[in-house]
């Protein structure tokens, strides 16, 4: 009988083992709780688990291990044909406990079958086919539901009122916008620091963009200019500085006028002193011989003085004190000033000298010497600035006749000689000493250094050394060519050593030279710069290498090379140089010249060909240095000069030149004035024609003393051009236009002028006037307002009060001023007066530069004022000295004549005259002399007496007396006159001034007597 005691556990264990692994894996992978429903699937027939027949069960026991025993159940099919067995089975199964076991077994079987079915269905559900089908069904279902819902909503919306929908939409939109704004504001408030930074950045960016448009655009719009109009307003500091500048200008002008008056007075006194000295010398000459003269001889001397009173000993002298000589000297001073400040004349003359024959008297050396004297050898900044301008004009003038750069390089131009010679002065020689003294000393101090590169010379020297060392004739040939010399081992080794030494020494020189950029004299650099610019402009297709070669030829060959070859002539060294040292320097100079030319050695210098690689590399460094030298500021900025510098200068420029050079220059200009001034009659022609022909002759002899010419500008005597007034009118017009565009807007200035004026514009203008012209905070603002308030339009008109006019009147005045500027061709109307707007934009962008310029002007004017004050003190002191000297001379002359009492013959007219004065106690301190008009007429002093016949001259007594030094009293009387006597006092300086002006005669005694000036002076000096 089978044992069913443990069938439950055995069967359950056996069935569970099959699914335990699968269940564990599935639960680990997918922890999901499933709920199954009955699903009918095609291809899977239904199975009746409960209708199955129960098989027979046989339990067999088997021992597998010692410790574990497991029961195995085996189902055995019972053969029902055996009756006994059938009864036993029925009895067996009729037992209740056995029936329970069967039921339990069936439950286990059903559980197993259900579990297997569950796993199969689960696999089907997890398949891709099933999931796609389920998703498709779900999508269709959702679509149907959504369409049904949308249809219902549409029907409900269509039946709703439209006003309600609009209100709903607006409420929703308002809510959304308020929510968004509130969120944004909360975000901004929480990040306020960042917001401020961003705002500042954007403002700066926008403002920078607008300002960039203002500065870069050639024609900025009215709106762009209006955004920056406020930058034109002057601050308190600007106003104070302007007042200080105006005050300084006024003081400078006042001091200049006072100094000019003092200078004129000193010159007048100086002329009087010169005349006094000249007359005194003449008098002394006469007095020395007067004792031996008889009366007729004295009369002859008087006549000689009368006929030759104004004749100078040297007709070519410019040092005379007479008026004619002074005028000729003044013309030469004007000529020299014109040649200095207008370099085109000398540039054309020098160009003519280079390319044409100006005659037998033309000498390039003479012109060069005269030009250098004209510019004072560039010894100060003014002359150096003017000489550089002359070189610039010379370059442009010479370039007119050049067809290639090579032709220019081959030329020997005079301006190069001038600039090189002037840049070898004292301060430029200091540059040579700093640069070349260590290098040249290194060459000279090395006694063993020999840079000979000619193999033949090395060979001969080796033979001589061998014979001198051994005392026997050398076995070598005494004559050898280059190949034979180099075939000698000793010569070849020496030659290689010399090449190596030459390269090393050249490198030392080159390295020292290219490190000096700022130390090179400015004159050389700026002429090289101008030369480069002119060459690039005239030959735009020329390679830069060719232009650099020209620069190298000018800078090195013409400037540096002579100082290297002959250092003792440029104060580089103080000692003398032997031939070997000179040869070494020449070899180094040759190498540097080859490097500066940018070319390697060719067949003509075949023995230096081994250095070609070094020459090529060094040439690049030298060329770079040449270009660096041309990077220099313009002369106006460097020297701080301008075309009006001489007008503002308190001291006139002075030039020292010999008469030979001056007259020679005059001669050349007079003979070539048509070529020098092809424009027609100009200032040069006027001066030359006024001076007259030059006294220069090729064989003439002139004094070697130097002339000191104080230069004057001939244009100073010409009436001022109205351009200054027009410039002031332009400034006033821009000021009114600024007021207009502040009030009214428009696309252009013409559109603003054409636009009507509204009451709003008038109100804005009134508010601006109140703020602009009526500040009451402090005195500075009041002064600024007063300065801006009044505008003077005409020279003779009273100032216009801007505060009293309306905006319409303001526009009218501004438009008329703009139209006037258009008629004067200052601006054009074709671009709607854009020129005025562009000028205002330039004023805005140049405000900072004008402030700097104003500060420079204040500093310069302050320095000028100090100089003027010191000059005024000097002139006052000089005036005092001159006047004291003149008064002293007059007193000495008077005392000298009046100390010793002259012998007077008794019972003469002079005797009774002196006796009468003595009785009255009226004897003058320095003497009194009584003559008749007839006596003075016979001596030639009195020419005529108006209205009196000559036969009555003996009835007219004339008394000359001097009681005070320098003041002559002349008294005459005649019975036929209306008054008993005529008396006058005359200063001695008046007589000298009359003589200086070239007047031969003058009237005395209220026009009654006409006298000879020179003879009267002679008589006064004699007595």
């Amino acid at each position: 009988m089978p044992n069913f005691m443990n069938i439950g556990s055995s069967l359950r264990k056996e069935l569970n083992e099959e699914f335990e692994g699968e269940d564990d894996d599935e639960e680990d992978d997918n922890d999901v709780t499933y709920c199954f429903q009955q699903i009918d699937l095609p291809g899977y027939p239904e199975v009746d688990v409960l209708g199955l027949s129960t098989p027979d069960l046989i339990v067999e026991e088997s021992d597998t291990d010692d410790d574990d025993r497991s029961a195995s159940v085996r189902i055995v099919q019972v053969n029902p044909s055996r009756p006994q067995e059938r009864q036993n089975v029925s009895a067996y199964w009729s037992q209740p406990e056995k029936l329970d076991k069967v039921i339990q077994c069936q439950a286990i079987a059903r559980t197993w079958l259900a579990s297997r079915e569950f796993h199969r269905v689960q696999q089907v559900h997890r398949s891709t086919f099933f999931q796609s089908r389920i998703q498709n069904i779900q999508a269709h279902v959702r679509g149907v539901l959504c369409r049904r819902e949308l249809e219902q909503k549409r029907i409900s919306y269509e039946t709703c009122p439209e006003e309600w929908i609009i209100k709903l939409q607006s409420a929703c939109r308002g809510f959304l916008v308020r929510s968004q704004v509130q969120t944004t504001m909360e975000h901004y408030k929480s990040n306020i620091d960042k917001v401020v930074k961003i705002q500042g950045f954007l403002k700066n960016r926008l403002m920078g963009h607008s300002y960039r448009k203002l500065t870069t655009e050639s024609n900025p719009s009215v709106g762009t200019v209006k955004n920056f109009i406020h930058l034109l307003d002057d601050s308190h500091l600007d106003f104070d500085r302007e007042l200080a500048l105006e005050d300084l200008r006024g003081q400078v002008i006042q001091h200049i006028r006072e100094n000019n008056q003092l200078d004129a007075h000193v010159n007048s006194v100086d002329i009087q002193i010169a005349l006094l000295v000249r007359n005194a010398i003449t008098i002394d000459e006469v007095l020395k011989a007067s004792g031996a003269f008889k009366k007729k001889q004295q009369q002859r001397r008087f006549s000689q003085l009368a006929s030759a009173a104004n004749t100078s000993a040297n007709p070519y002298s410019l040092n005379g004190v007479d008026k004619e000589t002074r005028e000729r000297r003044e013309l030469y001073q004007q000529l020299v000033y014109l040649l200095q400040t207008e370099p085109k004349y000398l540039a054309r003359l020098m160009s003519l000298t280079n390319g044409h024959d100006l005659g037998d008297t033309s000498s390039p050396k003479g012109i060069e010497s005269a030009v250098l004297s004209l510019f004072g050898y560039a010894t100060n900044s003014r002359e150096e600035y003017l000489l550089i301008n002359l070189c610039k004009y010379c370059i442009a003038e010479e370039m007119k006749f050049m067809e290639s750069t090579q032709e220019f390089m081959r030329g020997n131009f005079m301006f190069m000689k001038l600039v090189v010679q002037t840049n070898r002065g004292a301060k430029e020689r200091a540059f040579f000493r700093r640069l070349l003294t260590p290098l040249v000393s290194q060459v000279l101090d090395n006694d063993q250094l020999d840079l000979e590169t000619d193999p033949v010379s090395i060979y001969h020297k080796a033979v001589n050394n061998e014979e001198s060392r051994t005392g026997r004739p050398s076995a070598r040939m005494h004559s050898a060519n280059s190949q034979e010399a180099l075939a000698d081992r000793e010569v070849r080794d020496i030659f290689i050593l010399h090449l190596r030494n030459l390269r090393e020494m050249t490198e030392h020189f080159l390295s020292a030279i290219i490190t000096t950029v700022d130390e090179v004299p400015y004159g050389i650099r700026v002429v090289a710069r101008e030369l480069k610019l002119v060459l690039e402009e005239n030959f735009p297709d020329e390679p830069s290498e060719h232009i650099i070669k020209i620069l190298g030829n000018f800078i090195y060959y013409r400037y540096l090379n002579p100082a290297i070859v002959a250092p003792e002539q440029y104060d580089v060294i103080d000692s003398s140089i032997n031939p070997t040292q000179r040869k070494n320097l020449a070899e180094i100079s040759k190498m540097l010249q080859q490097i500066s030319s940018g070319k390697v050695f060719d067949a003509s210098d075949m023995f230096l060909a081994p250095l070609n690689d070094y020459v090529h590399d060094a040439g690049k460094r030298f060329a770079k240095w040449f270009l660096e030298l041309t990077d220099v500021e313009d002369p106006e900025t460097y020297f701080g000069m301008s075309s009006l510098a001489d007008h503002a200068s308190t001291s006139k420029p002075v030039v020292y030149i010999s008469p030979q050079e001056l007259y020679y220059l005059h001669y050349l200009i007079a003979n070539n004035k048509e070529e020098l001034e092809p424009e027609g009659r100009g200032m040069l022609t006027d001066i030359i024609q006024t001076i007259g022909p030059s006294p220069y002759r090729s064989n003439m002899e002139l004094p070697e003393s130097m002339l000191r010419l104080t230069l004057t500008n001939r244009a100073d005597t010409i009436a001022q051009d109205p351009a200054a007034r027009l410039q002031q009118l332009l400034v006033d017009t821009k000021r009114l236009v600024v007021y207009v565009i502040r009030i009214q807007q428009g696309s252009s200035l013409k559109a603003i002028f054409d636009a009507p004026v509204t009451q709003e514009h008038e109100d804005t203008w009134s508010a601006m006037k109140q703020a602009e012209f009526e500040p009451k905070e402090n005195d500075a603002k009041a002064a600024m307002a007063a300065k801006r308030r009044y505008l003077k339009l005409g020279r003779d008109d009273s100032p216009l009060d801007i505060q009293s006019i309306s905006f319409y009147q303001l526009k009218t005045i501004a438009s008329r001023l703009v139209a006037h500027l258009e008629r004067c061709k200052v601006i054009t109307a074709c671009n709607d007066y854009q020129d005025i707007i562009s000028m205002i934009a330039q004023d805005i962008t140049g405000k900072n530069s004008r402030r700097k310029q104003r500060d420079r002007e204040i500093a310069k004017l302050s320095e000028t004022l100090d100089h003027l004050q010191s000059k005024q003190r000097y002139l006052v002191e000089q005036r005092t000295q001159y006047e004291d000297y003149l008064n002293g001379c007059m007193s000495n002359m008077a005392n000298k004549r009046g100390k010793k009492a002259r012998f007077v013959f008794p019972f003469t007219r002079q005797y009774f005259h002196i006796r009468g004065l003595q009785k009255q106690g009226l004897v003058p301190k320095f003497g009194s002399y009584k003559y008749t008009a007839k006596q003075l007429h016979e001596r030639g002093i009195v020419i005529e007496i108006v209205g009196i016949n000559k036969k009555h001259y003996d009835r007219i007594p004339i008394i000359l007396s001097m009681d005070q030094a320098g003041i002559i009293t002349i008294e005459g009387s005649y019975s036929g006159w209306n008054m008993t006597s005529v008396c006058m006092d005359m200063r001695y300086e008046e007589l000298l001034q009359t003589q200086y002006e070239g007047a031969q005669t003058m009237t005395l005694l209220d026009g009654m007597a006409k006298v000879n000036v020179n003879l009267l002076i002679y008589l006064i000096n004699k007595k």
Side-chain angles (χ1 to χ4, degrees):
M1 289 299 291
N3 184 8
F4 289 98
M5 295 301 293
N6 58 352
I7 187 171
S9 61
S10 178
L11 182 59
R12 185 181 301 275
K13 180 179 178 181
E14 188 173 333
L15 292 176
N16 288 340
E17 287 176 354
E18 182 179 356
F19 300 102
E20 187 176 4
E22 295 180 3
D23 293 341
D24 294 339
D25 294 338
E26 291 175 1
E27 290 177 0
D28 294 337
D29 295 338
N30 298 313
D31 189 9
V32 181
T33 302
Y34 291 91
C35 182
F36 296 101
Q37 298 179 358
Q38 182 66 33
I39 299 176
D40 295 334
L41 297 174
Y44 296 93
E46 294 183 356
V47 179
D48 188 6
V49 180
L50 299 177
L52 294 176
S53 61
T54 303
D56 294 335
L57 298 176
I58 299 175
V59 179
E60 295 182 356
E61 295 180 0
S62 60
D63 298 332
T64 58
D65 294 323
D66 293 339
D67 296 331
D68 299 331
R69 292 180 181 268
S70 61
S72 61
V73 180
R74 183 165 59 93
I75 301 175
V76 180
Q77 185 69 30
V78 180
N79 189 0
S81 61
R82 297 175 183 177
Q84 186 61 33
E85 291 181 356
R86 184 179 300 112
Q87 291 178 358
N88 293 334
V89 169
S90 298
Y92 179 82
W93 291 105
S94 61
Q95 296 178 3
E97 62 275 9
K98 301 296 188 294
L99 185 61
D100 292 337
K101 293 289 186 180
V102 170
I103 294 172
Q104 186 179 5
C105 183
Q106 290 177 346
I108 292 172
R110 283 195 296 272
T111 300
W112 176 81
L113 291 174
S115 177
R116 187 179 65 179
E117 183 67 16
F118 168 76
H119 285 288
R120 187 184 66 80
V121 173
Q122 190 179 35
Q123 289 177 358
V124 171
H125 288 177
R126 290 180 177 179
S127 65
T128 305
F129 171 77
F130 183 82
Q131 290 182 1
S132 63
R133 291 290 297 276
I134 291 299
Q135 291 174 356
N136 190 14
I137 293 171
Q138 290 175 347
H140 283 288
V141 172
R142 283 193 297 269
V144 171
L145 295 176
C146 288
R147 283 190 293 273
R148 182 182 299 173
E149 183 179 0
L150 288 175
E151 182 65 20
Q152 293 176 356
K153 289 182 179 180
R154 187 183 63 80
I155 294 172
S156 63
Y157 290 157
E158 288 178 354
T159 58
C160 290
E162 183 177 354
E163 293 81 4
W164 184 85
I165 295 297
I166 294 174
K167 291 181 180 180
L168 180 62
Q169 290 177 346
S170 62
C172 293
R173 284 196 294 268
F175 174 77
L176 294 176
V177 170
R178 284 190 294 272
S179 300
Q180 184 178 3
V181 171
Q182 185 177 1
T183 303
T184 304
M185 293 303 297
E186 290 177 355
H187 174 73
Y188 288 161
K189 290 179 181 179
S190 62
N191 299 277
I192 189 65
D193 296 336
K194 297 179 181 179
V195 171
V196 172
K197 291 181 180 179
I198 294 174
Q199 286 179 344
F201 172 76
L202 292 177
K203 287 179 181 178
N204 293 336
R205 187 70 179 270
L206 295 175
M207 191 64 67
H209 178 68
S210 300
Y211 190 77
R212 197 176 304 112
K213 290 174 61 178
L214 182 71
T215 55
T216 57
E217 292 183 359
S218 58
N219 295 316
S221 64
V222 177
T224 302
V225 174
K226 184 178 179 180
N227 292 334
F228 297 95
I229 283 293
H230 63 279
L231 295 179
L232 289 176
D233 295 336
D234 290 335
S235 63
H236 301 304
L237 180 60
D238 290 327
F239 184 71
D240 293 339
R241 301 294 283 177
E242 284 291 343
L243 290 180
L245 181 61
E246 291 180 4
D247 183 61
L248 281 174
R249 285 175 178 169
Q251 294 183 35
V252 167
I253 293 174
Q254 181 66 25
H255 278 78
I256 288 175
R257 291 176 178 174
E258 293 175 357
N259 287 352
N260 288 338
Q261 294 175 0
L262 286 172
D263 194 18
H265 180 70
V266 169
N267 289 335
S268 175
V269 176
D270 183 48
I271 292 173
Q272 294 174 10
I273 292 175
L275 292 170
L276 179 63
V277 171
R278 188 183 72 172
N279 285 282
I281 293 174
T282 306
I283 293 164
D284 290 340
E285 291 176 353
V286 175
L287 291 177
K288 287 178 181 178
S290 60
F293 283 168
K294 296 181 180 179
K295 186 174 182 179
K296 292 183 179 180
Q297 291 174 331
Q298 292 180 1
Q299 291 178 352
R300 190 182 305 114
R301 177 61 176 165
F302 273 115
S303 61
Q304 291 175 357
L305 288 173
S307 61
N310 238 358
T311 303
S312 176
N314 183 6
Y316 304 118
S317 174
L318 298 178
N319 295 322
V321 294
D322 57 285
K323 188 174 182 180
E324 181 181 355
T325 305
R326 289 266 180 170
E327 289 179 351
R328 187 166 65 251
R329 183 187 184 94
E330 183 70 19
L331 288 171
Y332 275 114
Q333 291 174 163
Q334 294 174 1
L335 175 62
V336 172
Y337 183 86
L338 180 65
L339 295 176
Q340 277 190 349
T341 55
E342 293 292 340
K344 60 183 179 180
Y345 299 123
L346 285 178
R348 292 168 183 170
L349 181 63
M350 293 163 65
S351 178
L352 290 173
T353 305
N354 289 333
H356 304 84
D357 185 12
L358 301 182
D360 297 336
T361 58
S362 174
S363 170
K365 287 289 185 182
I367 297 177
E368 180 181 345
S369 174
V371 171
L372 288 174
S373 297
L374 281 183
F375 293 94
Y377 291 85
T379 53
N380 58 38
S381 59
R382 178 186 178 273
E383 276 72 20
E384 187 175 0
Y385 166 75
L386 293 175
L387 184 61
I388 289 173
N389 278 345
L390 173 62
C391 292
K392 291 169 61 175
Y393 273 85
C394 288
I395 293 173
E397 192 70 26
E398 297 292 349
M399 210 58 72
K400 296 178 181 178
F401 309 100
M402 299 298 152
E403 298 180 357
S404 65
T405 56
Q406 296 301 320
E407 183 180 357
F408 183 84
M409 190 171 181
R410 290 191 297 267
N412 187 20
F413 305 109
M414 188 177 297
F415 76 89
M416 289 189 175
K417 301 177 184 178
L418 293 177
V419 71
V420 169
Q421 185 167 348
T422 54
N423 281 277
R424 290 174 180 166
K427 59 181 180 180
E428 288 79 12
R429 293 192 179 213
F431 163 71
F432 284 146
R433 286 194 295 270
R434 289 193 302 269
L435 173 63
L436 297 179
T437 298
L439 301 173
V440 174
S441 299
Q442 184 179 1
V443 175
L444 302 184
D445 294 342
N446 191 349
D447 297 333
Q448 304 300 324
L449 182 64
D450 188 359
L451 301 180
E452 178 63 62
T453 56
D454 183 11
V456 176
S457 299
I458 297 174
Y459 178 81
H460 290 160
K461 190 173 183 179
V463 171
N464 293 336
N465 291 337
E466 180 185 355
E467 291 178 350
S468 299
R469 185 177 61 255
T470 59
R472 293 177 299 177
S474 175
R476 305 173 185 175
M477 297 181 297
H478 284 276
S479 61
N481 55 28
S482 302
Q483 289 77 13
E484 294 171 348
L486 287 176
D488 188 288
R489 182 179 181 84
E490 180 184 0
V491 174
R492 188 167 58 253
D493 293 340
I494 295 175
F495 174 73
I496 294 174
L497 178 62
H498 286 185
L499 288 182
R500 186 180 299 112
N501 293 337
L502 178 60
R503 173 174 176 172
E504 292 178 358
M505 296 305 301
T506 304
E507 179 62 24
H508 289 163
F509 273 75
L510 180 62
S511 299
I513 291 174
I514 63 177
T515 56
T516 58
V517 176
D518 297 333
E519 293 82 358
V520 177
Y522 175 78
I524 293 293
R525 297 183 63 185
V526 72
V527 173
R529 168 181 174 267
E530 188 65 25
L531 186 61
K532 174 177 174 291
L533 294 177
V534 173
L535 288 172
E536 291 176 346
E537 180 181 357
N538 287 270
F539 304 102
D541 299 330
E542 193 73 16
S544 59
E545 293 80 6
H546 294 174
I547 296 178
I548 294 176
K549 289 180 182 179
I550 297 177
L551 296 179
N553 178 72
F554 169 66
I555 296 173
Y556 175 75
Y557 180 71
R558 294 186 178 273
Y559 180 63
L560 291 176
N561 182 65
I564 296 176
V565 176
E568 71 279 3
Q569 297 181 9
Y570 295 92
D571 295 338
V572 175
I573 59 172
D574 299 328
S575 59
S576 59
I577 301 178
N578 59 47
T580 302
Q581 294 171 340
R582 183 83 66 187
K583 177 67 175 177
N584 292 340
L585 292 175
E587 290 294 334
I588 296 174
S589 174
K590 181 179 180 180
M591 281 287 294
L592 292 173
Q593 170 62 22
Q594 196 71 23
I595 293 172
S596 66
S597 66
K599 298 184 296 185
V600 296
F601 292 105
D602 52 12
S604 60
D605 292 306
M606 58 182 300
F607 301 112
L608 295 176
L611 300 177
N612 279 343
D613 291 340
Y614 169 73
V615 170
H616 181 265
D617 295 337
K620 296 180 180 179
R621 290 185 287 158
F622 223 179
K624 182 180 178 181
W625 182 68
F626 293 145
L627 291 179
E628 289 178 354
L629 289 182
T630 59
D631 185 14
V632 67
E633 57 188 352
D634 57 276
E636 288 77 10
T637 304
Y638 180 82
F639 292 105
M641 300 289 291
S642 65
S643 58
L644 300 177
D646 288 334
H647 297 274
S649 177
T650 57
S651 59
K652 295 180 180 179
V654 177
V655 167
Y656 293 90
I657 188 171
S658 66
Q660 178 81 16
E661 294 171 339
L662 182 62
Y663 296 146
Y664 176 63
L665 199 59
H666 177 195
Y667 173 81
L668 290 178
I669 294 174
N671 291 344
N672 301 276
K673 59 184 179 181
E674 291 79 9
E675 289 80 7
L676 300 183
E677 202 167 38
E679 302 88 359
R681 185 178 180 89
M683 193 176 296
L684 179 66
T685 304
D686 292 340
I687 294 176
I688 293 299
Q689 290 182 354
T690 306
I691 296 177
S694 172
Y696 174 77
R697 299 294 181 270
S698 58
N699 55 355
M700 71 180 301
E701 294 184 1
L702 292 173
E704 298 181 357
S705 59
M706 300 297 291
L707 292 174
R708 183 183 185 274
L709 301 180
T710 303
L711 307 186
T712 57
N713 187 3
R714 187 178 179 86
D716 288 341
T717 59
I718 300 176
Q720 290 293 328
D721 190 79
R725 174 59 192 160
L726 194 61
Q727 181 65 26
Q728 182 61 38
L729 189 63
L730 176 61
V731 173
D732 295 336
T733 304
K734 290 190 292 183
R735 179 181 166 191
L736 296 183
V737 168
V738 166
Y739 287 141
V740 171
I741 64 178
R742 277 183 170 181
I743 303 299
Q744 197 168 4
Q745 298 180 357
S747 59
S748 64
L749 184 59
K750 190 174 186 302
I752 294 176
F753 286 155
D754 295 339
V757 177
T758 64
Q759 185 60 38
E760 182 182 359
H761 296 151
E762 294 289 353
D763 296 340
T764 308
W765 170 239
S766 299
M768 180 181 290
K769 287 192 296 183
Q770 186 175 2
E772 187 82 4
F773 305 121
E774 297 181 356
K776 300 179 181 180
E777 287 83 353
N778 51 47
D779 295 337
K781 288 189 176 182
M784 291 173 62
K787 181 181 178 182
R788 292 192 296 260
R789 178 174 175 177
Y790 296 99
L791 181 68
K792 190 171 183 179
L793 298 178
R795 181 175 302 175
D796 300 328
D797 299 336
S798 59
L800 174 65
D801 187 1
I802 301 179
Q803 188 179 11
S804 62
I805 63 176
S806 63
F807 182 68
Y808 176 79
Q809 294 172 332
L810 177 71
K811 278 186 60 177
T812 303
I813 296 173
S815 61
R816 290 180 180 178
L817 289 177
V818 169
H820 178 71
L821 292 176
E822 180 193 359
R823 289 192 297 271
C824 296
K825 297 182 180 180
V826 177
I827 60 174
T828 59
C830 59
N831 55 0
D832 296 336
Y833 304 131
Q834 178 62 36
D835 295 339
I836 292 289
I837 302 298
S838 300
M839 291 178 186
I840 295 175
Q842 292 176 1
D843 292 340
I844 295 173
T845 56
K847 186 68 177 291
N848 187 41
S849 61
R850 285 200 307 276
R851 286 175 177 170
K852 295 180 179 179
Q853 178 65 24
R854 181 180 59 205
D855 293 339
R856 288 194 294 267
E857 289 181 2
I858 290 176
K860 186 175 181 180
L861 286 175
S862 299
E863 182 180 358
T864 303
L865 184 60
D866 294 338
H867 175 70
L868 285 172
Q869 292 173 348
S870 62
K871 182 179 180 181
Q872 189 176 40
R873 292 191 295 269
Y874 166 75
L875 289 175
V876 170
E877 183 180 356
Q878 191 177 34
R879 180 191 63 182
T880 304
Q881 292 177 354
Y882 278 25
E883 290 177 348
D884 293 344
Y885 178 77
L886 182 61
N887 294 332
C889 289
M890 299 293 295
S891 300
N892 291 335
M893 289 178 58
N895 292 329
K896 185 177 180 181
R897 304 292 188 264
K899 276 183 180 181
K900 185 183 295 185
R902 293 178 177 272
F903 174 76
V904 179
F905 288 99
F907 309 109
T908 61
R909 184 182 293 105
Q910 180 67 18
Y911 172 80
F912 289 112
H913 171 66
I914 297 297
R915 187 176 178 182
L917 293 176
Q918 291 175 351
K919 289 181 179 180
Q920 299 176 7
L922 299 176
V923 178
K925 182 178 180 181
F926 301 106
S928 178
Y929 300 91
K930 185 176 183 180
Y931 301 92
T932 63
K934 181 179 180 181
Q935 290 175 320
L936 296 179
H937 178 69
E938 290 175 354
R939 295 185 181 187
I941 298 174
V942 174
I943 299 175
E944 66 173 340
I945 297 178
V946 179
I948 300 177
N949 197 330
K950 293 182 179 179
K951 64 181 180 179
H952 300 303
Y953 281 2
D954 56 347
R955 303 178 185 176
I956 304 174
I958 297 178
I959 300 173
L960 302 177
S961 61
M962 182 184 295
D963 189 52
Q964 183 179 353
I967 298 179
I968 305 163
T969 301
I970 303 177
E971 182 181 358
S973 60
Y974 182 60
S975 58
W977 290 344
N978 296 331
M979 56 190 75
T980 58
S981 64
V982 180
C983 182
M984 65 172 292
D985 291 334
M986 181 177 60
R987 297 187 64 84
Y988 186 74
E989 293 87 339
E990 296 178 6
L991 282 174
L992 296 179
Q993 183 66 27
T994 304
Q995 184 189 47
Y996 165 73
E997 292 175 356
Q1000 296 288 332
T1001 62
M1002 65 181 298
T1003 59
L1004 302 176
L1005 302 176
D1006 293 339
M1008 295 293 183
K1010 186 177 182 180
V1011 298
N1012 186 297
V1013 176
N1014 298 292
L1015 296 181
L1016 179 60
I1017 293 175
Y1018 177 79
L1019 177 64
I1020 293 172
N1021 290 334
K1022 177 184 176 183
K1023 298 298 183 180

